[in-house]
Amino acid sequence: GMGFTNMPTLLYRRCTYPFSEDIAAIQRVVREQGVGFVVIDSGGAACGGEPENAELVIKFFGALRTLGISSLILHHTPKDKTNKGPFGSRYWYNLSRFIWEMRSEITEGANTVKASMFNVKNNSGMRQKPFGVEFTFGQDDITLTPLDPKTSPVYLESVSISMKVLHILQREKRLMDHKEIAGELGESAHSVYQSLKRNEKSFVNVM
């Protein structure tokens, strides 16, 4: 569904030991099979203990770096949405170079899941723009289709007030004052006004 061609051969290795303790065997597979990219699902299970334990997380990343190849680590986020970033020790965030956070929209009884991806960390430059993917679950397969993240309710929950204001103005295509915008966004009028002042080069004041 995403239009990918020339897909590489995928190898799967079931792991039962902590990653740092299993690293010699994993290094051998990487070397003998010419592996250039590894996906770990999940980071919490691979660290071999509580994800909140900084020592275990540091050992996990240290072992991972001995492979000398690119990697993707799948990890959970806290159930408490006031806590940002990966679940557990702060080192999950600090030792990662590039982080995408997936926020999904699930409709009960539907065979689709809409996921919006937000780049929350990039050590190599500017953060990337959000993108979306719709997963459609068939009887024997899963189809992935590109999705505009702005069409998802989770988009406005995840961006700054200035981006929310821009989205509302682009949607409405008319003049709006900060109080009306605040009402549309469910934000305080003061917060919207301050955001407009901080980003006054991006908006035109005609009032």
Side-chain angles (χ1 to χ4, degrees):
M2 297 292 285
F4 296 132
T5 58
N6 300 320
M7 293 293 290
T9 301
L10 300 179
L11 303 174
Y12 173 76
R13 183 181 188 274
R14 184 177 180 83
C15 298
T16 56
Y17 297 102
F19 191 84
S20 60
E21 297 177 16
D22 206 16
I23 190 61
I26 295 172
Q27 288 171 339
R28 186 168 58 252
V29 172
V30 168
R31 183 174 60 253
E32 293 176 353
Q33 299 293 333
V35 175
F37 184 79
V38 63
V39 179
I40 298 173
D41 182 14
S42 66
C47 77
E50 295 181 350
E52 301 95 330
N53 187 311
E55 182 179 357
L56 291 178
V57 177
I58 292 170
K59 286 177 66 175
F60 164 75
F61 276 98
L64 178 62
R65 291 203 170 115
T66 67
L67 298 180
I69 59 176
S70 298
S71 61
L72 171 65
I73 305 166
L74 305 182
H75 194 61
H76 294 279
T77 54
K79 291 183 179 180
D80 179 3
K81 297 305 179 184
T82 59
N83 294 323
K84 302 294 184 180
F87 173 75
S89 168
R90 186 64 180 174
Y91 281 102
W92 287 110
Y93 182 92
N94 292 347
L95 296 179
S96 298
R97 299 188 60 80
F98 200 94
I99 299 178
W100 286 96
E101 183 173 338
M102 183 175 78
R103 297 162 192 168
S104 58
E105 175 191 354
I106 302 174
T107 301
E108 188 174 350
N111 68 329
T112 60
V113 173
K114 296 179 179 180
S116 298
M117 307 292 291
F118 299 90
N119 182 201
V120 298
K121 182 180 180 181
N122 182 359
N123 280 1
S124 301
M126 294 179 60
R127 294 183 184 180
Q128 304 297 303
K129 291 182 179 179
F131 71 93
V133 179
E134 182 175 63
F135 297 84
T136 303
F137 298 89
Q139 198 163 22
D140 301 308
D141 57 14
I142 302 174
T143 302
L144 279 66
T145 308
L147 175 74
D148 182 357
K150 294 180 181 178
T151 63
S152 172
V154 300
Y155 176 80
L156 287 183
E157 297 173 4
S158 308
V159 297
S160 65
I161 291 180
S162 62
M163 289 299 294
K164 293 178 182 181
V165 171
L166 182 61
H167 175 75
I168 291 295
L169 291 175
Q170 289 175 334
R171 186 190 71 188
E172 296 296 322
K173 295 182 173 60
R174 61 184 176 86
L175 296 177
M176 301 175 71
D177 65 21
H178 71 282
K179 294 181 180 178
E180 185 180 6
I181 294 172
E184 288 285 337
L185 295 177
E187 301 282 353
S188 72
H190 177 74
S191 296
V192 171
Y193 179 79
Q194 291 300 318
S195 179
L196 292 171
K197 288 289 289 183
R198 286 193 300 269
N199 299 276
E200 56 186 0
K201 292 183 179 180
S202 301
F203 302 97
V204 177
N205 185 358
V206 297
M207 310 303 282

